Amino acid sequence: MKLGVNIDHIATLRNARGGFEPNLVEAAKVALKLDILALTMHLREDRRHIKDDDLYNVKKLGAKINLEMAATSEIQQIALDLMPYSVCIVPERRQEVTTEGGLDVFGQKEYLKEFIKPLKQAGILVSMFIDADEKQVEASSYIGADYIELHTGCFANAFENGDYVKELEKLKKAAKLAQSLGLKVNAGHGLNYENVHLMKEIQGLCELNIGHSIISKSIFTGLESAIDMMLKLIK
């Protein structure tokens, strides 16, 4: 498994006061010194954390960017201009603190099938952020996605409650189905230093996208150490 480091929360902290600190580009430089696959950045419609300039400034470092985005024409055009390594289509709700669940690919599969065509034609890898649900996996295959990213929030919550086996089995089943349909599988949301080792039980996972727990740990250990600790756990 590879690690994608989500740096959105560094931008959240910066935006809480305004100005330039903590500096997102400097954080990206620290992360890129380590054996990570990509930097994950979510350009929300409301620009709550990552700003447009952040994307381009980080791209100048030569970084592989995994752009999390809603399926809107505005963000699609930015993606086509930015040319990130990959995009992950996620749901967005105005009042949510963070992404609360998977995208309903099944309910809008015809729209999404057309929406991702320009991205794929540009050579950008396309992923769907979905719950571990059979119809969402099958719909992601139908529309022509390259990857799915399994939403691990329910698993993470169950882990905290001490009863995660059922949720982990759902993830395993969804990953197996996806792979049988030719989809590659990533996972993310709520993963931390205590529960991430269980992702090794899901056969064939390509990438884990983790942000909040790494940035939280970095307050006490520094960012480089926090990322390195997570890399050791997933390897």
Side-chain angles (χ1 to χ4, degrees):
M1 286 184 292
K2 292 290 187 178
L3 177 64
V5 177
N6 188 317
I7 57 175
D8 292 349
H9 292 290
I10 295 172
T12 301
L13 181 58
R14 175 198 64 192
N15 298 347
R17 186 163 181 170
F20 301 96
E21 294 181 332
N23 188 291
L24 200 74
V25 171
E26 292 305 312
K29 288 179 181 178
V30 171
L32 291 171
K33 290 192 295 183
L34 300 167
D35 186 26
I36 66 170
L37 177 64
L39 292 171
T40 294
M41 304 173 73
H42 183 177
L43 186 67
R44 292 180 59 98
E45 289 185 271
D46 58 16
R47 306 306 198 268
R48 184 181 301 170
H49 33 63
I50 296 296
K51 309 296 187 185
D52 299 52
D53 286 348
D54 293 328
L55 291 172
Y56 291 96
N57 289 336
V58 170
K59 180 72 181 294
K60 288 176 184 176
L61 300 176
K64 283 185 175 181
I65 293 176
N66 172 41
L67 176 63
E68 290 186 343
M69 56 179 282
T72 68
S73 58
E74 180 206 10
I75 307 298
Q76 181 195 61
Q77 288 305 308
I78 292 172
L80 290 170
D81 182 63
L82 178 73
M83 288 298 294
Y85 159 74
S86 60
V87 298
C88 184
I89 311 299
V90 302
E92 281 187 18
R93 287 178 284 276
R94 291 292 184 183
Q95 301 305 315
E96 66 188 358
V97 175
T98 185
T99 305
E100 295 174 344
L103 181 70
D104 181 14
V105 180
F106 178 81
Q108 49 184 332
K109 58 187 178 184
E110 298 303 333
Y111 171 75
L112 289 170
K113 185 177 182 180
E114 293 303 312
F115 180 84
I116 69 173
K117 281 182 178 179
L119 299 168
K120 287 176 64 69
Q121 289 168 357
I124 301 169
L125 295 173
V126 175
S127 179
M128 296 288 131
F129 184 73
I130 61 171
D131 292 324
D133 179 270
E134 180 178 320
K135 69 180 183 180
Q136 300 299 343
V137 174
E138 290 175 342
S140 297
S141 174
Y142 169 79
I143 68 170
D146 301 294
Y147 286 78
I148 58 167
E149 180 169 331
L150 290 171
H151 174 239
T152 51
C154 294
F155 157 78
N157 291 335
F159 183 89
E160 290 299 315
N161 295 328
D163 185 19
Y164 61 84
V165 174
K166 183 178 178 181
E167 293 300 331
L168 183 58
E169 287 303 314
K170 287 181 183 178
L171 293 170
K172 291 179 182 179
K173 183 178 178 181
K176 186 175 181 179
L177 173 60
Q179 289 157 0
S180 75
L181 295 172
L183 291 162
K184 294 182 179 179
V185 184
N186 300 332
H189 199 84
L191 297 177
N192 59 36
Y193 294 86
E194 284 71 45
N195 63 31
V196 73
H197 69 281
L198 289 165
M199 293 298 98
K200 295 178 183 179
E201 295 189 18
I202 304 173
Q203 295 297 312
L205 276 185
C206 297
E207 177 184 350
L208 300 179
N209 286 303
I210 304 175
H212 187 265
S213 64
I214 290 175
I215 303 309
S216 297
K217 176 73 75 175
S218 74
I219 293 173
F220 304 102
T221 68
L223 183 57
E224 184 171 353
S225 177
I227 295 172
D228 188 53
M229 289 170 65
M230 186 61 77
L231 282 167
K232 288 176 180 175
L233 286 171
I234 71 172
K235 291 182 177 180

